Amino acid sequence: MKNLINNILKKTARLIKFALIPGAVMFSSQSCDNPLEEVVVSNLSNSYINTPKGFNDAVSAAYGYLRTYYAQEIGMSMSQLGTDTYTNGADGSYKRYNFYNGELNGRDNWVRTLWREFYKGINTCNAVIDRGTEIKGLSPAALASGVAQAKALRALYYFTLVQHFGDLDLRLSETNGPITEITRTTESAVYAQIIKDFNEAYPALPKRTGQWGRMDQMAVDGFLLKVFITKATRPFGSVADFATAETHGKKVINSYDRSLVSDYAKLFELGNDQNSEAVFSVQFSYDLLSAGGFGNRWHLYYLMEYDTQAGMSRVLEVGRPWKRLRPTNYTYNQVMVNRSVDSRYDKSFRKVYKATRAGTFPTFLDKSKATITVAVGDTAIFMPGFEMSEAERAKRPYQVYTPSMYNEKQFETLSKFLDPLRASINEVQGGRDFVLIRLADVHLMVAECLIKQGKQAEAVTHINLVRRRAAFSGKAAQMEITTAQATMEFLYDERARELLGEGHRWTDLKRWGNLVERVKLYNPEASANIKDMHNLRPVPDEQIDLVDGGNTAFPQNPGY
Amino acid sequence: MKRSILKSIVLLLLCCTSSLFAQTRQINGVVSDNLGEALPGVSITVKGTSEGMITSVDGKYSLQVNSANDVLVFSYIGYEAQNLKVGNQSVINVTLSESTASLEEVVVVGYGTQKKSQLTGAISTVKAADIKDLPIANAQQALQGRVAGVDVMQAGSKPGSEPRVIIRGRRSPNASSDPLYVLDGIPLSGGIGDINPNDIQSMEVLKDASATAIYGARGANGVVLITSRRGSKKDGKPTIFYDSYYGVTQALNTMNFMNGPQFSATKREAYRVRNSNGTLGGFQPDNIVFTDVELDGIAKGRSFDYIDALLRTGNIQNHSFGIAGGDEKTTYYMSLNYFKDNGIVYNQDYNRNVLRVNLDHQLTKNISMGMSTFINYSIRNGEGFNPLGGAMAENPLGVPFNDDGSLNFLPTEDGLRSNPLSEIVDGAYIDRRKTNRMFSGLYAEAKIIEGLTYRFNFGPDFTVNKRDVFQGTFTNARRLAPPRASTDNVNSFNYTIENILNYTKSIGKHNFNLTGVQSFQRNNFETNGVTVQDIPSETQQFYNFGNAAIIEGVRSDLIQRSILSYMGRVNYGFNDKYLLTATLRADGASQFGDNTKWGYFPSVAVAWNLSSEEFMQSISSIDLAKLRVSYGSTGNQAIQPYQTQGLLSRSVYNFGDNAVFGYGPNTIGNPDLQWETSRTLNLGLDFSMFRGRFTGSIEYYDVTTSDLLLRRNLPPSIGFTEVTTNVGATRNNGIEGTFSTVNMDNRRGFKWSTDFQFFINKEQFVDLPNGDDVGNNWYIGQPLSVIFDYKKIGIWQANEFEEARSFGSEVGEIKIQDTDGDGKFTAADRVVQGSGVPKFSGGVTNRFKLGNFDMSFFVYARLGQTIRSNFHTSNNSLFGRYNNIETDYWTPENPTNVSPRPNQNQERPIWNSSMNIFDGSFVKVRNINFGYRFTPETAKKLGMESLRLYSSIQQPFIFSSFISEHNGIDPETDIDASLGGNVSPAAWTATIGVNLTF
């Protein structure tokens, strides 16, 4: 018996020894004692933000979310479609933003994207702000600067959201676990927080940033101008807000180094992103590796379909035509007038398309001749912007497209955003910066504040500054307006002229309270459906569906 | 070898000559069973001839023989066959004894084998014999319709795509529902598509908790045990085998798109004048509606079918060649497999090459060791690329070819629509994955004392996998931009180490079996990749990233996880009548929180062999009846690792020209994540009647899964959109049955048998933290994924102008149901419209045998599921730009309620998601198979041991209203109900094959 047990033990021990050899080799190659311990190697865990580098990286990340809306199709749809200056072109899945039809509802992808992405940005800002009390290895000044940038960005995210959605979920600290008990905070409280954030950010920010694109005091002044002028027109606003806005606007004009770019065309020249007029711009890069999937895409949307026309093909020099946005007749006939004096029509639109293919081609819209024969580089299409007689057109060796021929595919192309420096012809990611505030915008807003306070005479000086710059050389005097002309009606047109297509129009109309009125008047595609409810966008269904209590706790905006 | 062939030929010749001179005489006799009862219906044949007859009701027979050397074969279902040489007898009485084969059949279970009669769990088996004679491409296919309770779903015909397998429904919406695959005892981390189906000896599907508890950690979704073929010790003579088939494949004609005239009519409709009051006017002139190329196409009656041009006759071939054998000490099995599937769409093919070596060696009297290894090299083209998508969208009026016969890259003026034919130009678009895999199951087993064995398993599994994509300038992806290329490498190394002790002991009528297992499994998954643009020459493809002008992206990742388990099992049987299995398993998984890593999963099962009881002996029609009951729990940890921790994600920005990489919060960690647990009650009945003529089993099961690992959507305003949590519960209950009958087995050698299996499952949520959860699309009492959407009730007709307007709609647009009746279309109008879960699924195989001929056909049905057809979403956009499936669309003259009016002002119709929901029920004839097995004598003459030729037609018919009424494609798709928009169409295959052994 004893022998048997000994035998068993011996054999077992020998076996286990052999058996464990490969096992031991395997285990020893794992550097941890506990085989079930989970070690994050290829990812960064949340505690990384508590390190000096991690804190600064979180601040950078807080900027990154600006790219998810600005200069994308979402920003284009929500700021330019369905306004008095622009209506839909032939293509696109988001014409609902122009039609204001039943499809513009809480399931819409853009309202969902804006809500999701900006709240991610806000949470990132909150993470920076929450950690900003103490991080070993960072000076108090560096910490304060990071927190200040995060507060300014948080205010900017909320400002964009509040203009589109009204009452929001006002979230001011980092989310550390699932939260579903959420209600809507009033618009006025959101505005109060936005103002508080900007004001708190201000002292810790440099007057002018050393790194182009970062938040600085000038940018905060610019944003406060916009926040106050907008708040002034809300039910909880007051005329005093116009005065505050004016103060901030004047600081942008006088206290920093900004000046109007002498030539309107130079403002939109490639490579001139960091011009003297830009107050704050969202940054983009041509380097696809560091673009992170987000480029400036606005080169796509205003371009008419030129590549199918006689003598033409798609070329990088012109761009990739997505034809999402087409100017309304209001833009052609009421905004872009006085074209012999005011250069902004010429400098905003592309009038000539050069042939890229040689040969004889049947004409398309200009039927004054049956064919045109062109060599590469010859003019293939000319768009003078006025009606030209058939006889006159027939004399020209190219097609002449006049306003009466315009349709959803062929129309005048806003040239401000075209981007031939992209990597390739079909590359959608452009690298131009996207300007949120420029000095002319500030001047016109200050003028608006002044008019609202009855100070038309002073307003005129700001308006004329902008207008003189826009004149053809030697015609500056003809551009000037008088005090009597300095009305809101005039500003409606002037802002359209100066800032055409730059992403301000929908919020401008909303601020002026005439979105419905002017869209009905000037945008035939939108006029049938637009109603007062459209001053707010629908809250994404997923937000409502996922909070405790659903629509009772987090009600949808009226009408949707 | 040569000598033995020669010998046999000589022998054969001798037999023939001797019989020539023999005299015919009569043989009589009676066939009875052990109890002396006469057996009617016993078939008696003269071996090697087609002569034969069956016994009469009193068990008597009489037949003619030619020679004393003739051999009579007595066979009867449920009894052991007997061969008797005639000699000089004239009366031969035979006693047949009952066959014990079906009862003694051995079944592979977790960590061991068991006699079928001793099983307590719900286990189904697919044997090599069931599948060997059929041309199947992968192991999963062998399960479809053959195992009750197993749902195998294959979408489309893309070569190399593997079907999804779900056993007894889904338990969890987020954690994986894939079963655990165990190959030769080693749990696999990778797929089973790399296995050569010819190498499979058997597949056991473990379904209830008692059977799967041994794999507790991952047993919740069921376990599929795959056992590969091994050599046999018998006579030392090697068996050489060659199994092969070749087939041609063609698309089932199910895709009907508009031709030129239909397209131009649709486009004219889309451009109808809209009057200022909102009503529809007449057509616009053609020169406004159409571009020059289109006008030219209309004038010349052009209509090009791009889909047809991209489809080809595919072919499929499989060759498996191997040798097996062994002696007292060593057995071996080696095989080589070449499989090639050239799909019906150009640029889509799959090639698999597998080498398998299985070795077993008796080292000493008490120690044996061995391995089962396969090495796989496969190449797959077109995994993520399907040129058909472009062809389906392409305007049929365009000009596909230039006058000189070359391809016209832009057939129309539409800059987005490049020529679909340019995608399949050699080298224009490459999407290739090369996979190398080496899997090995190594073991050493020692007999320590009588009944006690110790086994050590080590299973390394290496996969190296490289996916290359090249998109040339003349492709739709690039549309004249410089070429783009990417490479992604996956390097995975998984291993399993197990220590197993097994003790068997019988004391009188008491049988014990004890098993103890310690198991550790580790997965390492590394990836890296790079994407570039602007390669100088297209010929460089993805072979010189350094030459590219633009680096678009670089990436790499590491994912690791491990599981450590301890398990014990007791099997106890009394007198083979009363059986008990009890299992306890403890599992720790790295994915879970520090305090919640370990889960404990017990199970118990009892079985009662009713038919062994005295009182059952008198019922002679019942050969076997066994009742089984089991209850137990199993776990699921199949979620991505690192979810217990909050992680950051990169967001890129730049300040001026300085690029910065920022890192901000991306996921919420949940440090309390723990095991999802399924509790299963299973009731089973196994039976065999009429001496095995009718056999089968019926199971009822009820699985409740709690602490669901839910990826719960969160209100996005908190900065996160989801988190993985343990909340809620689901329930799956259902009935499944498997039956085999021998319908006919007559004296002429005609045999007809039928296998039938069915599966009815109800899948539902039974508990959710806040009741119905619209945001996540989860509803109590509904399956785990449902189609919740607006319901289409028709098209707004001309007389509903005002009403349509009040809903923000126009005449000719889709009318959806205003469920809450508030006069508006709002989110509250959405309703549940079915799910991808079938109400019934089943399969019937009929087998016929007449002499040496055999024939079988297999019908598979999946009924009652609803599908979301993205094929319709993509190809029924009705806006006059892209081609469209043929559909009955609304016009002022055609007030249909099927499809809305074409409208140029939309990329897809308003509310179009409501018109893409269909009944996905189908019945498929999967397979019709004819075979001829040469008699052993003939085979011997040809120098072989056995030879069978067969021909087969795969999937010749699909019956489905989705195809016949809605112009759909093959409705078979995943249980998630989403039918891809860009699938390769269903195909049928005609095959010829051969199975031979030497």
Side-chain angles (χ1 to χ4, degrees), chain A residues 4 8 11-12 15-16 19-20 22-23 26-27 30 34-46 48-49 54 57-58 60-61 63-67 88-93 95 99 101-103 105 107 115-116 119-120 123-124 127 169 171 174-180 182 211-214 274 281-285 287-292 307-308 314 320 324 362-364 408-409 423-427 541-543 545-548 559-560, chain B residues 271 290-292 366-367 413-416 446 448-449 454 456 458 478-482 493 495 497 499 520 522 524 533 550-554 556-558 560 562-564 588-591 597-598 641-665 668-669 712-721 723 725 770 773-776 789-790 808 824 826-827 830 881 904-911 913:
Chain A
L4 179 72
I8 292 170
K11 277 187 173 171
T12 315
L15 270 165
I16 289 173
L20 290 183
M26 292 301 155
F27 279 114
Q30 311 297 322
N34 179 356
L36 295 181
E37 189 183 336
E38 188 172 74
V39 185
V40 176
V41 177
S42 61
N43 276 301
L44 292 171
S45 81
N46 190 291
Y48 173 70
I49 302 177
D57 285 351
S60 300
Y63 283 91
Y65 289 96
L66 292 172
R67 286 181 173 173
N88 63 284
D91 292 356
S93 303
K95 291 179 186 171
F99 298 155
N101 61 9
E103 271 195 309
N105 58 34
R107 291 210 305 171
W115 190 272
R116 279 186 172 202
Y119 269 112
K120 276 188 202 164
N123 190 50
T124 307
D169 173 18
R171 198 148 287 284
E174 186 186 357
T175 302
N176 291 314
I179 302 169
T180 50
I182 298 171
Q211 267 188 315
W212 183 260
R214 278 198 194 272
Q274 301 182 19
S281 48
V282 178
Q283 304 289 299
F284 290 95
S285 159
D287 175 19
L288 295 176
L289 201 52
S290 66
D307 49 351
T308 60
R314 191 182 286 195
R320 184 172 169 183
R324 295 286 193 267
T363 53
F364 187 64
E408 288 194 346
K409 289 181 175 165
S424 62
I425 172 60
N426 285 315
E427 181 57 64
D541 280 353
E542 61 173 4
Q543 174 72 20
D545 290 343
L546 290 163
V547 300
D548 297 348
Y560 287 107
Chain B
Y271 280 73
F290 296 104
T291 65
D292 290 342
N366 290 326
I367 300 177
E413 289 91 343
D414 194 325
L416 275 184
I448 298 169
I449 51 167
Y454 164 77
F456 171 75
F458 174 54
R478 300 306 293 159
R479 285 195 297 274
L480 305 177
F493 173 49
Y495 63 84
I497 297 174
N499 292 292
F520 178 72
R522 175 92 178 160
N524 292 279
Q533 292 183 13
I550 301 167
I551 296 172
E552 190 185 305
V554 289
S556 66
D557 197 8
L558 169 70
Q560 297 175 309
S562 38
I563 299 172
L564 178 62
S590 62
Q591 285 105 306
K597 281 197 194 300
W598 287 89
Y642 312 126
Q643 298 200 45
T644 52
Q645 319 191 28
L647 299 178
L648 307 182
S649 69
R650 194 181 82 166
S651 86
V652 201
Y653 204 66
N654 53 287
F655 297 112
D657 297 327
N658 303 317
V660 290
F661 289 159
Y663 297 93
I668 314 187
R712 201 177 136 204
N713 291 337
L714 293 170
S717 71
I718 65 170
F720 300 97
T721 49
V723 67
T725 51
N770 300 312
D773 189 338
V774 178
N776 284 299
D789 205 337
Y790 300 96
K824 286 186 295 194
T826 64
R830 295 167 293 175
R881 180 171 178 182
Q904 58 146 328
N905 243 321
Q906 63 193 17
E907 297 223 335
R908 54 195 65 85
I910 294 175
W911 310 114
S913 66

Side-chain angles (χ1 to χ4, degrees), chain B residues 337-350:
Chain B
N337 172 231
Y338 172 86
F339 172 80
K340 180 82 192 258
D341 183 357
N342 290 310
I344 53 172
V345 180
Y346 281 96
N347 274 7
Q348 294 183 356
D349 54 70
Y350 174 67

Side-chain angles (χ1 to χ4, degrees), chain A residues 346-526:
Chain A
D346 276 12
K347 290 171 181 173
S348 297
F349 292 112
R350 185 179 188 102
K351 299 170 87 170
V352 174
Y353 295 86
K354 302 276 190 192
T356 59
R357 292 192 293 159
T360 300
F361 304 93
T363 53
F364 187 64
L365 291 180
D366 178 6
K367 296 293 183 190
S368 64
K369 50 248 162 194
T371 60
I372 60 165
T373 303
V374 288
V376 173
D378 287 354
T379 296
I381 302 169
F382 175 54
M383 303 177 79
F386 54 84
E387 293 304 322
M388 198 184 270
S389 72
E390 182 157 357
E392 178 58 30
R393 283 189 276 126
K395 286 185 212 159
R396 318 245 175 159
Y398 43 79
Q399 293 196 83
V400 179
Y401 290 180
T402 64
S404 63
M405 298 175 193
Y406 296 165
N407 56 44
E408 288 194 346
K409 289 181 175 165
Q410 280 78 35
F411 46 79
E412 295 196 20
T413 296
L414 187 74
S415 58
K416 291 175 176 176
F417 299 100
L418 295 180
D419 192 350
L421 294 182
R422 287 170 297 124
S424 62
I425 172 60
N426 285 315
E427 181 57 64
V428 291
Q429 299 191 37
R432 302 182 76 144
D433 288 353
F434 187 82
V435 179
L436 294 193
I437 309 175
R438 64 179 171 93
L439 196 59
D441 179 16
V442 174
H443 277 295
L444 293 178
M445 283 204 163
V446 169
E448 189 176 327
C449 294
L450 291 166
I451 290 170
K452 289 283 190 181
Q453 296 174 82
K455 300 192 258 186
Q456 274 78 359
E458 200 190 341
V460 166
T461 60
H462 290 281
I463 296 171
N464 282 344
L465 256 175
V466 173
R467 284 182 58 81
R468 274 200 300 274
R469 185 265 299 268
F472 281 117
S473 103
K475 296 186 175 174
Q478 293 178 52
M479 290 290 285
E480 294 188 357
I481 63 160
T482 63
T483 308
Q485 285 173 288
T487 61
M488 283 306 293
E489 281 66 33
F490 183 84
L491 264 187
Y492 298 157
D493 293 348
E494 188 60 29
R495 275 186 76 81
R497 260 188 297 276
E498 177 64 25
L499 303 165
L500 185 71
E502 292 181 36
H504 304 292
R505 198 61 181 178
W506 193 86
T507 42
D508 279 354
L509 293 176
K510 178 177 164 162
R511 178 174 79 245
W512 297 330
N514 55 16
L515 173 73
V516 176
E517 177 198 328
R518 288 182 73 88
V519 165
K520 274 191 183 295
L521 210 54
Y522 298 121
N523 185 331
E525 286 75 19

